Amino acid sequence: MQTIHYKNAVVKGELQVPGDKSISHRAVMLGSIAEGKTSITGFLNGEDCLRTIDIFEQLGVTIETEGTNVEIESPGILNWTKPTEELYAGNSGTTARLMLGILAGAPVEATMSGDASLSSRPMDRVTIPLRKMGASIEEKSDADLLPLTIKGTKLNGITYKSPVASAQVKSAILFAGLQAEGKTSVHEDTVSRDHTEQMLRYFGANVQTDDTVASIQQGEMLTGRKVHVPGDISSAAFFMVAAGLVPGSSLTLTNVGLNPTRTGIIDVLKRMGLGVDVTDATTENGEPVGTIQLTHRPLQGVEIAGELIPRLIDELPIIALLATQAKGKTIIKDAAELRVKETDRIAAVTNELTKIGANIEATPDGMVIHGLTPLKGGTMDSYGDHRLGMMAGIASLITSDPITIEGAACIDISYPSFFKDLETVTKKSL
Ligand code: SPQ
């Protein structure tokens, strides 16, 4: 439990948010699949990414972490050792789903498990296509929930039309495709984040992408590389919104990942009226990186739907908070995926923002938020979901009374220095 209040603290200065969670996972995964040495800089030391490291250590990969630097020495996927205990993914959907794809063709047998939240999230979205490829997966329940035991086997390439725009589904299939005979293709209606394709290509795999189709050919053993992880735009989003909430704010966020499959928040904030300038854009290991400058301006409600949704899916809780301070109505739709995240984020965001005075309704696939509404203080539950915990922290910038966050520790999943950074940009003491 943590009680905070930053009422009307102007958000100012410069901040570099921690490394991208999605890219950190993938850097460790590819560095462990590849033979030899991989050096990672800018790694996110969040709980989820540490679970990924633990898992590869159990598979016989040597991994040394010092601050945000990670050194990997791997014998390569064909020489991994059979783990003696369950591979525990904690709260991390990315770890669990991508590992199932990686293990499907690896010469080991292992059981993947997770915490209570992860054990209730759907895994059939990956087990269905992986079984089509020949994967041997045994579940304890009938519903393909964790724990799942997977025994590496010979796989065949498939062409799969994914029923959801999900990078975790696409990535699991592409990782399995790296080991599968022939070609494997994944078709999506709307393209999901493409960090796996970028990282596979950077490590030398034969990956082709064409609009909403990603394909991979069975590969030779990959070799280690140097990887730089840019700052996480999903973490930066909390501070972009902070600058949008408090009049007079002006904030510079440096070294932020700007992969176009992730920058939906920038498009939406601009449409809402916030001053957003992107500069210094460069590319590192296939990933665009740059500086984002935010300037507070009065906001208006917008509609957020369709192909934009996968480009900002994780930012919708914090956008909902911002929408309480925008004139008129903000409509979020086509986002039913929010219901199967760390918690049901449609129900949780609606409940918690209502508690502090927001005018917000849940719909089956989104939310409708009516602004401008003054917010009061109170207790907000994180539901063990890092993005809900941080939404509550940012709300305290504009609430009339303090906010008490129940279960604030879960913020360590993706942003261990969140409160320190909030203090830095508001120059207020906790
Ligand atoms: O890893 P996890 O728990 O699924 O994390 C979340 C998050 O908010 O951090 C989702 F709850 O991000 C996912 C994201 O929603 C990370 C991710 C990835 O790295 O591939 C892809 C998205 O999920 P999905 O289901 O759309 O593929």
Side-chain angles (χ1 to χ4, degrees), residues 21-22 26 94 121 166-168 314 341-342 345 387:
K21 177 160 78 70
S22 296
R26 286 152 171 90
T94 307
R121 291 174 68 183
S166 159
Q168 294 177 1
D314 297 338
K341 298 295 181 184
E342 284 82 329
R345 286 181 177 163
R387 305 218 184 270

Side-chain angles (χ1 to χ4, degrees), residues 399-422:
T399 50
S400 56
D401 291 301
I403 292 283
T404 298
I405 311 171
E406 270 182 33
C410 66
I411 291 172
D412 287 354
I413 284 169
S414 65
Y415 201 157
S417 58
F418 172 74
F419 289 112
K420 191 173 116 305
D421 288 355
L422 183 54

Side-chain angles (χ1 to χ4, degrees), residues 21-22 25-26 48 91-95 97-98 121 125 165-169 171 193 313-314 337 341-342 345 386-387:
K21 177 160 78 70
S22 296
H25 282 301
R26 286 152 171 90
D48 274 12
N91 191 250
S92 176
T94 307
T95 307
R97 297 196 177 114
L98 273 57
R121 291 174 68 183
R125 54 182 54 201
S166 159
Q168 294 177 1
V169 171
S171 303
R193 66 189 69 186
I313 187 76
D314 297 338
E337 274 292 300
K341 298 295 181 184
E342 284 82 329
R345 286 181 177 163
H386 50 132
R387 305 218 184 270

Side-chain angles (χ1 to χ4, degrees), residues 177-180 182-184 205-208 215-220:
L178 185 63
Q179 309 299 322
K183 182 178 173 182
T184 297
N206 186 353
V207 174
Q208 301 90 39
S215 305
I216 188 164
Q217 299 282 347
Q218 183 171 33
E220 302 294 312

Side-chain angles (χ1 to χ4, degrees), residues 134-317:
S136 161
I137 304 171
E138 269 178 42
E139 73 278 13
K140 282 196 181 135
S141 68
D142 289 338
D144 266 0
L145 300 173
L146 295 181
L148 291 167
T149 298
I150 182 154
K151 188 172 180 199
T153 186
K154 193 172 164 321
L155 302 174
N156 51 276
I158 55 166
T159 295
Y160 188 69
K161 170 135 185 42
S162 182
V164 276
S166 159
Q168 294 177 1
V169 171
K170 177 175 61 177
S171 303
I173 299 169
L174 292 176
F175 276 130
L178 185 63
Q179 309 299 322
E181 204 176 295
K183 182 178 173 182
T184 297
S185 299
V186 186
H187 294 242
E188 298 181 296
D189 281 340
T190 304
V191 76
S192 61
R193 66 189 69 186
D194 69 356
H195 305 300
T196 299
E197 297 90 303
Q198 298 296 348
M199 189 76 72
L200 275 164
R201 202 175 271 140
Y202 179 67
F203 271 77
N206 186 353
V207 174
Q208 301 90 39
T209 46
D210 181 11
D211 194 18
T212 53
V213 184
S215 305
I216 188 164
Q217 299 282 347
Q218 183 171 33
E220 302 294 312
M221 186 69 106
L222 305 177
T223 44
R225 290 276 191 278
K226 284 193 165 85
V227 180
H228 175 69
V229 180
D232 196 327
I233 192 165
S234 297
S235 299
F238 292 95
F239 291 98
M240 295 185 202
V241 165
L245 287 174
V246 186
S249 294
S250 163
L251 181 69
T252 302
L253 297 165
T254 57
N255 184 44
V256 185
L258 293 171
N259 183 314
T261 61
R262 296 282 299 283
T263 50
I265 176 119
I266 294 180
D267 301 349
V268 164
L269 294 182
K270 282 183 176 167
R271 271 170 50 211
M272 291 178 85
L274 188 68
V276 187
D277 287 311
V278 176
T279 55
D280 303 334
T282 53
T283 300
E284 294 191 57
N285 38 265
E287 294 285 350
V289 186
T291 297
I292 307 176
Q293 166 75 45
L294 292 312
T295 313
H296 178 274
R297 283 189 202 142
L299 304 172
Q300 64 200 35
V302 291
E303 181 169 310
I304 306 169
E307 61 171 14
L308 194 51
I309 296 295
R311 295 180 56 229
L312 48 57
I313 187 76
D314 297 338
E315 287 65 80
L316 288 170

